[in-house]
Amino acid sequence: MAQEYDLVILGGGTGGYVAAIRASQLGLKTAVIEKEKLGGTCLHKGCIPSKALLRSAEVFATAKRGEEFGVMAKEVSINFGKVQERKNKIVGQLYQGVQHLMKQGKIDVYKGTGRILGPSIFSPMPGTISVEMNNGEENEIVIPKNVIIATGSRPRTLPGLEPDREFVLTSDEALEMEFLPKSIIILGGGIIGIEWASMLSDFGVDVTVIEYAERIIPTEDKEISREMHRQMKRKGVKIATSAKVLPETLQKGGGVIISAEVKGVQKEFKAEKILVSVGRLANVEGIGLENTEIQVENGCIAVNEYFQTKESHIYAIGDCIGGLQLAHVAAREGIVAVEHIAGQNPSRIDYSLVSKCIYSNPEAASVGFSEDEAKEKGYKVKVGKFSFRAIGKALVFGESDGFVKIVADEETDDILGVHMIGPHVTDMISEAGLARVLDASPWEVAHTIHPHPTLSEAIGEAALAVDGKAIHS
Ligand SMILES: Cc1cc2nc3c(=O)[nH]c(=O)nc-3n(C[C@H](O)[C@H](O)[C@H](O)COP(=O)(O)OP(=O)(O)OC[C@H]3O[C@@H](n4cnc5c(N)ncnc54)[C@H](O)[C@@H]3O)c2cc1C
């Protein structure tokens, strides 16, 4: 018999499962339909496994520098099987946690592929969902009052560069590699591409990054891109920018050969494998959108500020609506959508307050406008910058490259953006995020006494530097 619910969520990734927990807290009878594994991309193919590999690479890179710290370890080497084992263990532990949370919230989980049906005998409105069960049992029908589509995204590929598991990979296949290649070409110097470049280079792989834009991590402040470029090159990563890859030149055999037009000149690149990291496509196909009035714009589901689609009882959140495709964004969107469904008055998301992190070595993190963006928006800006070189804790860590940069409005004194590159900045960015939420001025940030010795002193000093008052510069 068809089951009825207050809310059914299509997709149990970060956005979907967090929405389900919030719905259960609010007393909604809730179900999640998941065709692969609860936790989605973030837990199984994204944030967590990639950070586990990055951590192993960082430990290896640090161990090789042991002598600098007076730690004499001979013949440090990588056992990649163990690296993968550790990654899988962490993912497994968290996967159990998510399953437990579903049970605790009394959330029904359907293991299968869901598809939205149009008006039918079950309901005069579109939104009933047919679930093709993974275990081969008969299709289930679920009848929800409300639906949240949280079907996520998948790696974008380029025609002629489809993944084959051997020579051409996306991040999905790269995470499952059994052996490290000797060399790799990474197509795309965005956030995911640079994390891979950093990790593989730290593991000792010969890495070449080919980036179409004129700089790597082009969504970040220019000075952060420049510093990341410098530090990647110092590691030995080769980087070609303003480079348009020519997929039709791909040759596969003992490895790969591919050409790119670099600043107008055709160049050939050779490696054992190629990793295509050129963005992600929203999963909007095969989920029955054609049975609804829901609109798809630029490949993503169109929604309003409360994540309602054209069918006001069907919401969409996370990677499938485009924008900032990040796990913490998907989670918050899920919470806002559920609270709206429950008749609460959730505050809308201000995307300029979302922190973005790059977990490479060095790390980078930012919140708010870059210096150029702020200027383009017509702000008269003042900038404070402080290097980790003058921060005791950074020297103690043996990682003193990088800086904190604060962009502020000269007229109102509001902080417009904070940009960091260096040790542990992904853990430090939340202070800047809070400062933005509270509309803090650089003075207020500097007035917060930062404990000594900590890396966070760089934030206090950068805030002082906005008005030329940094102490240690
Ligand atoms: C390599 C990599 C590293 C990343 N690192 C970070 C990071 O460090 N920090 C960060 O914030 N973000 C990171 N991301 C992005 C992050 O993973 C996504 O933004 C996040 O997972 C989006 O959550 P979501 O719920 O929208 O979608 P997903 O997590 O993709 O979940 C969607 C779920 O829907 C299921 N599904 C799809 N269609 C159906 C259907 N018809 N029926 C049933 N189920 C269906 C899928 O199986 C999937 O489980 C990374 C991504 C990648 C690829």
Side-chain angles (χ1 to χ4, degrees):
M1 208 183 76
Q3 284 287 330
E4 295 188 11
Y5 290 95
D6 295 319
L7 173 63
V8 172
I9 300 166
L10 194 54
T14 312
Y17 88 73
V18 169
I21 293 170
R22 184 71 189 116
S24 136
Q25 287 171 349
L26 291 170
L28 301 181
K29 187 179 175 203
T30 304
V32 173
I33 303 168
E34 172 53 55
K35 66 177 181 177
E36 290 180 18
K37 282 182 173 172
L38 285 172
T41 304
C42 176
L43 180 50
H44 301 282
K45 300 173 186 170
C47 327
I48 299 299
S50 64
K51 267 82 248 181
L53 296 184
L54 273 155
R55 174 72 179 135
S56 288
E58 187 195 3
V59 170
F60 181 51
T62 309
K64 282 197 293 187
R65 290 171 53 202
E67 210 174 325
E68 226 179 89
F69 297 81
V71 179
M72 313 307 281
K74 277 192 196 150
E75 293 185 31
V76 181
S77 63
I78 282 290
N79 177 337
F80 198 61
K82 281 239 178 239
V83 169
Q84 287 285 25
E85 211 177 284
R86 176 176 185 273
K87 175 206 83 179
N88 294 339
K89 197 171 157 205
I90 294 166
V91 170
Q93 192 175 333
L94 292 170
Y95 180 42
Q96 276 192 357
V98 178
Q99 294 175 89
H100 168 75
L101 289 171
M102 295 297 102
K103 282 203 187 103
Q104 185 177 273
K106 300 194 173 29
I107 296 157
D108 287 346
V109 178
Y110 290 82
K111 295 180 181 166
T113 303
R115 187 180 151 77
I116 300 173
L117 304 178
S120 64
I121 47 164
F122 303 109
S123 162
M125 290 195 304
T128 295
I129 299 178
S130 154
V131 190
E132 191 184 322
M133 301 300 286
N134 287 351
N135 58 11
E137 280 177 9
E138 211 178 302
N139 280 12
E140 294 265 6
I141 295 288
V142 291
I143 308 172
K145 289 198 183 91
N146 297 279
V147 177
I148 295 180
I149 303 173
T151 47
S153 65
R154 61 187 184 279
R156 190 161 91 88
T157 55
L158 296 174
L161 282 173
E162 290 80 10
D164 59 12
R165 294 199 159 264
E166 196 181 355
F167 298 112
V168 183
L169 317 173
T170 67
S171 60
D172 284 2
E173 294 78 32
L175 282 169
E176 301 309 323
M177 284 188 302
E178 286 175 25
F179 304 99
L180 284 167
K182 286 206 166 48
S183 56
I184 197 160
I185 295 165
I186 300 181
L187 206 54
I191 294 176
I192 294 178
I194 288 302
E195 286 187 356
W196 277 101
S198 168
M199 173 219 298
L200 292 172
S201 167
D202 279 351
F203 275 137
V205 178
D206 180 17
V207 178
T208 304
V209 174
I210 302 181
E211 166 57 46
Y212 181 73
E214 62 182 13
R215 58 190 173 100
I216 55 166
I217 46 170
T219 50
E220 295 303 307
D221 188 275
K222 254 188 205 147
E223 286 190 83
I224 300 288
S225 286
R226 210 177 298 139
E227 177 65 12
M228 184 65 88
H229 192 120
R230 190 184 72 81
Q231 293 207 39
M232 286 296 129
K233 274 186 84 169
R234 204 178 54 187
K235 267 182 202 289
V237 175
K238 288 162 252 163
I239 301 174
T241 51
S242 303
K244 185 178 176 223
V245 80
L246 305 167
E248 65 279 11
T249 63
L250 177 70
Q251 293 173 49
K252 297 194 255 185
V256 289
I257 302 179
I258 196 162
S259 295
E261 229 176 74
V262 186
K263 300 183 176 94
V265 180
Q266 191 158 330
K267 281 194 180 164
E268 198 176 76
F269 297 87
K270 282 185 196 165
E272 204 176 306
K273 291 184 194 292
I274 183 163
L275 168 60
V276 181
S277 177
V278 291
R280 302 201 37 102
L281 292 176
N283 291 329
V284 296
E285 303 84 3
I287 55 174
L289 296 187
E290 65 284 4
N291 300 323
T292 70
E293 295 294 317
I294 294 173
Q295 289 181 349
V296 173
E297 285 168 11
N298 300 322
C300 300
I301 299 177
V303 290
N304 68 13
E305 66 268 41
Y306 295 111
F307 307 104
Q308 286 170 294
T309 65
K310 277 274 166 201
E311 303 275 1
S312 59
H313 62 298
I314 305 182
Y315 292 64
I317 58 157
D319 280 12
C320 68
I321 63 167
L324 284 179
Q325 290 181 315
L326 294 169
H328 42 293
V329 172
R332 179 55 63 88
E333 290 172 348
I335 289 172
V336 171
V338 167
E339 291 182 352
H340 194 255
I341 288 168
Q344 299 199 335
N345 190 17
S347 36
R348 294 183 222 165
I349 298 177
D350 176 349
Y351 288 92
S352 78
L353 300 178
V354 174
S355 298
K356 295 178 286 171
C357 297
I358 308 177
Y359 299 84
S360 46
N361 176 14
E363 295 184 346
S366 67
V367 61
F369 302 133
S370 67
E371 187 177 346
D372 285 349
E373 278 168 351
K375 284 179 182 160
E376 276 159 28
K377 287 188 183 295
Y379 291 103
K380 212 168 158 210
V381 302
K382 49 182 182 176
V383 171
K385 215 172 131 184
F386 197 83
S387 164
F388 281 109
R389 278 211 186 96
I391 296 293
K393 187 72 173 281
L395 294 179
V396 169
F397 271 169
E399 292 174 36
S400 55
D401 279 332
F403 56 85
V404 174
K405 171 176 173 177
I406 298 183
V407 180
D409 183 348
E410 199 168 312
E411 276 157 25
T412 62
D413 213 26
D414 285 338
I415 292 176
L416 300 171
V418 180
H419 309 272
M420 311 177 180
I421 181 163
H424 298 278
V425 295
T426 60
D427 289 312
M428 283 168 33
I429 195 67
S430 297
E431 177 184 349
L434 182 63
R436 289 265 302 137
V437 169
L438 299 178
D439 244 342
S441 65
W443 182 86
E444 285 164 317
V445 171
H447 195 66
T448 308
I449 299 174
H450 290 83
H452 177 75
T454 61
L455 296 168
S456 71
E457 287 175 275
I459 300 179
E461 287 274 23
L464 285 172
V466 171
D467 293 307
K469 295 182 201 150
I471 300 295
H472 292 93
S473 66

